[in-house]
Amino acid sequence: MNPSTELARAVVTALVEAGVREVVVAPGSRNAPLSFACFDAADDGLLRLHTRIDERSAGFLALGLTRGGSRAAVACTSGTGVANLHPAVLEAAHAGVGLVVVTADRPERLRGTNANQTTDQLGIFGPLVPTVAVSAGAAVPAVGEGLVHLNVHLDEPLVPDDRASFSAQLLGKAPTRRGFGWFSQQLNDDARLPIGPRTVVVAGDDAGPPARVLAERANWPLLAEPTSGSRTGENALRCYRLLLATDLAAQVERVVVLGHPTLSRPVSRLLAREDVVVVAAPALGVWAERPFRVDAVLESIEVDEADDPAWLDAWREADRSVARQLDGLLAAEADLTPYEVAGAVARALPAGGQLVVGASSPIRDLDLMVPRYDVGARRKVIANRGLSGIDGVVSTAIGAALGRESSSRTIALMGDVTFLHDANGLVLGPHEPRPDLMVVVVNDDGGSIFAMLEQGDEQYADRFDTLFGTPHGVDLAGLCAATRTPHWRVESLPELEHALAQPNGGIEVVEVRVRRDNRRELDARIRALRP
C-alpha cells in the first residue's frame, strides 16, 4: 500500500471513530486518496458520502448536516479550494459547531516553494480554528468533538492499488447519530438569583430550553429569538422587539442572557444601558467575551422562588395588544408583505419539523411573526447566526434536512439575494441524496433590509439602489430550471398557504413575490405600534 493511501485511510478511520457520520467531498487531484478512502468507508456503511463541485457549498452542507444532528466532515484539495471553505469554517467557529475540516496539501518538502497549487495551509483559517498537520509515517491524532482542521500532506501516487475494508477494523465502533448543539445544557444549583429586581430573560441563538425553564420558574418575561430553542411556553413574547420601545422597557432593572443574542438593535440597546445589571451564562463560540458589559457570568442560573406575577402580566398584556394591532395592520395591506410570508411559513411548520432561516430580513420578519410553539413539540429553528452571513444558506438547509432523520418536515425561508448567493447549492449530481426540502424565497428584487436601516433614508435615494438595493432582475424560474429544481411562483397569501400545505417531495423552490418600494414606510408603521 502506498503511503498516501495508507495515510488517507488512517484519517478516515479517525473520523469514523470520532463519530463522524457524513463526509462531503469536493473533487480534486491532491485529495484523491481521501476521496477513495471515504468512498470505501461509505461502501461499508460507515459513512454517507456527498459530493459538491463548489467548496463553499460543500462547507456549508457539512455545517448544515452537523447542525441537523449528524456530525460531518468536509474534504477538499489544496490551494484555493481550501480558502473557499473559510466562510463555513468561520460560521462553525463562532456558532460552536463541531465541524471537521480535512484539507489535502502538497508534501512538506514543497512548502515555501512555487510548486503548483501550493500555499501555506497551516493556520489558513486563523487562530480561531485548531489546525493539525498530518503526514505519512506519523500517527493520526484522535479527532475531538469541537471544530478542528486536519491538514493532510499527500505525496504521489495519489490512487490506491486495492480497496479498503473498514468494517473489520472498526467493528463495534460505528458512530451513532447525535447532535452537537447547546440544547443539552441543564440548570442545576450552582448559582441562584435573588428575586426582586425587575428582570427579563434574553434568549439568543442556541440558548435552549434552560432559558424558558428559568423564565417560567421566576415569572419573568422571555425575550426569545426564533433560533434560541426557547420560543415556547407562556412566557415567550412575540412582539418583544416592539415592546422594548415602550415604558415597560424603561422599568427593566436586570437582564439574564442565555445563548448568543444577535438579532435586535433594541435588545442591544437594552444590554448597553448603564442602569441595568446583566447576568449571563458563558458565551457560545470561540470568544469568551461578549460585546456588552456583563456584571456576572454564571455557569448555570437558578432561582429559589417565583417573582411577583404582576411584572410578567404587564408584559403579556402589552404583547397581546401589540400583536393584535400588528396582525390588523398587515391584514389591511393590499399586497402580500414579507411579514405575512414569515408568519405563514412559521404556521406551516409541523411538530417535529425543522425551519432553516436566512439572515437579513427573513429572520427579523420571523421574529415578529413566529408563534409560541408548544413545549415538547420538537420544532427546531436554525440559522447561521455565528457570523450571520447570507452565504451558504441553501447548502446549510440541504444539510440540515439530510442530517435530521427524525424531522417530520424541513422548510427554508430566505430572501432572493441570499438564495442567489448560494444558487450553486442546487447543483447536485444524479446520485446525490436529495432531502424533502421546500425553499421559500421572498423575492423583492434586491436587498430590502437596507431600506430599513440608515442607508434607506430619503436623503440617499439617488444612490440607494446602486449601492444597497441592488436590483438584479434574475428569473428564478429559469435558474431553477437549469438545475431541474421544481419551482412555483405565488403572489398572494392563499397561494402561499396552498403551496406550503402541498409539498411535492424532494427539493423545491417556492418564490413569493413581494414589494420593496414600501418596505421602509411599512417598517416605520410597525415600529410605531404601542400597547
Side-chain angles (χ1 to χ4, degrees), residues 230-287:
S230 315
R231 193 73 169 257
T232 56
E234 294 302 316
N235 291 40
L237 304 175
R238 171 185 163 188
C239 298
Y240 70 89
R241 192 169 83 207
L242 304 178
L243 297 180
L244 287 176
T246 69
D247 291 340
L248 277 174
Q251 300 176 45
V252 174
E253 298 172 323
R254 182 172 60 188
V255 181
V256 180
V257 180
L258 293 89
H260 180 44
T262 63
L263 200 56
S264 168
R265 287 189 179 185
V267 168
S268 297
R269 288 192 287 267
L270 173 65
L271 295 172
R273 277 172 40 186
E274 293 185 359
D275 62 332
V276 170
V277 174
V278 178
V279 178
L284 309 183
V286 291
W287 287 324

Side-chain angles (χ1 to χ4, degrees), residues 30-229:
R30 188 57 48 171
N31 64 328
L34 293 165
S35 300
F36 279 110
C38 289
F39 184 92
D40 289 342
D43 210 34
D44 282 351
L46 298 174
L47 296 171
R48 182 164 57 169
L49 182 62
H50 313 261
T51 59
R52 292 295 186 273
I53 62 174
D54 181 331
E55 284 84 2
R56 190 176 67 174
S57 293
F60 278 103
L61 175 65
L63 178 76
L65 284 161
T66 306
R67 290 292 302 265
S70 188
R71 196 184 191 193
V74 58
C76 75
T77 194
S78 62
T80 59
V82 180
N84 280 312
L85 292 177
H86 207 161
V89 173
L90 283 179
E91 173 61 32
H94 286 272
V97 177
L99 184 66
V100 182
V101 182
V102 185
T103 58
D105 202 351
R106 290 329 208 220
E108 292 181 88
R109 68 177 185 277
L110 296 180
R111 186 184 299 169
T113 73
N114 286 323
N116 181 47
Q117 208 169 321
T118 301
T119 188
D120 186 1
Q121 295 180 191
L122 288 176
I124 193 170
F125 301 121
L128 305 182
V129 183
T131 300
V132 179
V134 185
S135 301
V140 176
V143 178
E145 287 195 356
L147 173 64
V148 65
H149 170 209
L150 302 180
N151 191 61
V152 186
H153 297 277
L154 298 168
D155 208 343
E156 297 178 356
L158 299 174
V159 294
D161 48 21
D162 65 343
R163 182 201 177 282
S165 178
F166 288 89
S167 297
Q169 58 182 312
L170 290 171
L171 189 63
K173 296 183 179 180
T176 56
R177 301 183 67 84
R178 52 171 298 180
F180 286 81
W182 293 82
F183 294 102
S184 61
Q185 297 178 6
Q186 298 296 322
L187 294 172
N188 54 45
D189 296 329
D190 291 348
R192 294 184 176 275
L193 291 179
I195 296 301
R198 288 186 289 268
T199 303
V200 297
V201 178
V202 169
D205 186 56
D206 260 2
R212 174 191 60 80
V213 172
L214 175 64
E216 291 179 350
R217 287 178 180 174
N219 274 342
W220 290 334
L222 177 58
L223 320 184
E225 295 182 4
T227 62
S228 63

Side-chain angles (χ1 to χ4, degrees), residues 68 226 345-356 373-374 376-382 400-401 404-412 436-437:
V345 170
R347 292 191 301 273
L349 188 67
Q354 180 174 233
L355 174 59
V356 182
Y373 289 130
D374 296 335
R378 298 190 66 253
R379 290 179 177 88
K380 185 177 183 181
V381 182
I382 65 174
R404 195 182 189 211
E405 284 188 341
S406 60
S407 178
S408 59
R409 186 182 184 188
T410 298
I411 306 173
D436 292 334
L437 171 66

Side-chain angles (χ1 to χ4, degrees), residues 423-506:
N424 279 352
L426 296 177
V427 180
L428 280 71
H431 304 298
E432 290 297 310
R434 283 169 165 78
D436 292 334
L437 171 66
M438 179 177 285
V439 181
V440 179
V441 181
V442 187
N443 186 4
D444 57 13
D445 192 28
S448 65
I449 189 170
F450 299 110
M452 297 177 283
L453 301 177
E454 297 88 339
Q455 300 96 317
D457 190 90
E458 183 62 29
Q459 63 180 311
Y460 307 118
D462 62 332
R463 66 208 74 178
F464 177 80
D465 265 4
T466 298
L467 298 177
F468 304 105
T470 57
H472 49 76
V474 173
D475 178 4
L476 298 193
L479 182 63
C480 290
T483 57
R484 297 181 176 86
T485 304
H487 167 276
W488 319 98
R489 178 181 294 169
V490 301
E491 299 188 13
S492 70
L493 185 58
E495 288 179 315
L496 173 59
E497 291 173 334
H498 177 76
L500 287 165
Q502 303 291 330
N504 293 304

